[in-house]
Amino acid sequence: MVEWTDAERTAISTLWSNIDVGEIGPQALSRLLVVFPWTQRYFSTFGDLSTPAAIAANPKVAQHGKTVMGGLEIAVKNMDNIKNAYAKLSVMHSDKLHVDPDNFRVLAECITVVVAAKFGPSVFTAGFQEAWQKFLAVVVSALGRQYH
Amino acid sequence: MLSKKEKKLIKEIWERLTPVAADIGSDALLRMFASYPGTKTYFSHLDISPGSAHLCSHGKKIVLAIAEGAKDISQLTVTLAPLQTLHAYQLRIDPTNFKLLSHCMLVTLACYLGSEFTPVAHAAMDKFLSAFAAVLSEKYR
């Protein structure tokens, strides 16, 4: 089980309560598709991903970004049992979606950059970043856990 | 591979940040020390507490070196030759740590530049910092 300090729990809940998944999710996913273009391989049915502008304006990207970011709610509500909370989603990403689990880590990086850009240095301090990255790392690990 | 547009963008960003090199550098270092405590092992001889003189001067040094490299990216190997030697034979910092600092540098840039740190700028910067780190470790073996 993951040990969280009080400071870390506070950081994560503070950040989460100020995150609008409909805003951050689409930004994080489009950033992933631009910065790491090979990730587009999973989205061949999404339509026009040919330029950063097209990606930013793509409604399927926006909707999916919102869905994925919303999935973090599971972790926020189950901080002391993240591994089991994501077991089903992990199986789905492995057996149905066939997503390379390294992509979870890379998307987490993009989420962190978007959150940093939104909150700025006085809110997204080194301490908050540490807690947030630890939180995302646990989610990333849980999502890859059921791969076989 | 960096396009001409990307090289220009990177050069511009670092030119603008040169006057605040100490702030940017110390911010990135502090983030790295907080998220990746193993990186602190290279600094046992310095005071790296927030706001310390050592932290500011060291952060400034790193950012100025990055900015210098950004001025002419096609000449990175020439520009970084002395630093290559320093890192390979004296400092011998495990190159995995370059990735950690690069990541924290991206977070610092996002914090300070906000929405200006667009996905395109992020992609260019990530590629540049990766290339920088690769050149820096060229003499290791």
Side-chain angles (χ1 to χ4, degrees), chain B residues 52-130:
Chain B
S52 79
H54 284 166
L55 187 72
C56 287
S57 79
H58 202 76
K60 184 175 177 184
K61 212 188 290 185
I62 293 176
V63 167
L64 290 181
I66 295 174
E68 193 61 32
K71 283 182 188 161
D72 191 353
I73 295 172
S74 57
Q75 295 295 302
L76 261 185
T77 309
V78 174
T79 314
L80 293 181
L83 282 174
Q84 284 178 322
T85 306
L86 180 71
H87 283 75
Y89 299 111
Q90 249 184 279
L91 303 177
R92 288 172 296 187
I93 296 169
D94 191 316
T96 325
N97 295 293
F98 299 153
K99 278 205 184 97
L100 304 180
L101 182 58
S102 295
H103 167 73
C104 291
M105 193 61 76
L106 292 175
V107 173
T108 296
L109 291 175
C111 279
Y112 280 86
L113 299 175
S115 55
E116 223 193 294
F117 195 56
T118 60
V120 171
H122 177 170
M125 197 57 75
D126 193 19
K127 288 196 276 182
F128 169 62
L129 291 177
S130 303

Side-chain angles (χ1 to χ4, degrees), chain A residues 7-8 22 29 31 38 46 55 58 60 69 100-101 107 124 136 138-139 145-146:
Chain A
E8 286 170 339
L29 186 61
R31 191 164 287 253
W38 51 90
F46 272 33
I55 291 169
N58 187 308
K60 285 187 168 171
M69 194 72 194
D100 182 336
L107 177 58
F124 200 62
L136 290 181
V138 174
V139 174
R145 189 66 179 74
Q146 306 305 326

Side-chain angles (χ1 to χ4, degrees), chain A residues 8-45:
Chain A
E8 286 170 339
R9 288 181 195 267
T10 302
I12 292 157
S13 63
T14 304
L15 288 171
W16 186 250
S17 63
N18 287 294
I19 283 173
D20 172 2
V21 306
E23 179 200 356
I24 302 294
Q27 283 178 25
L29 186 61
S30 28
R31 191 164 287 253
L32 177 77
L33 296 170
V34 171
V35 180
F36 307 101
W38 51 90
T39 56
Q40 292 172 23
R41 72 186 302 285
Y42 298 105
F43 302 100
S44 52
T45 59

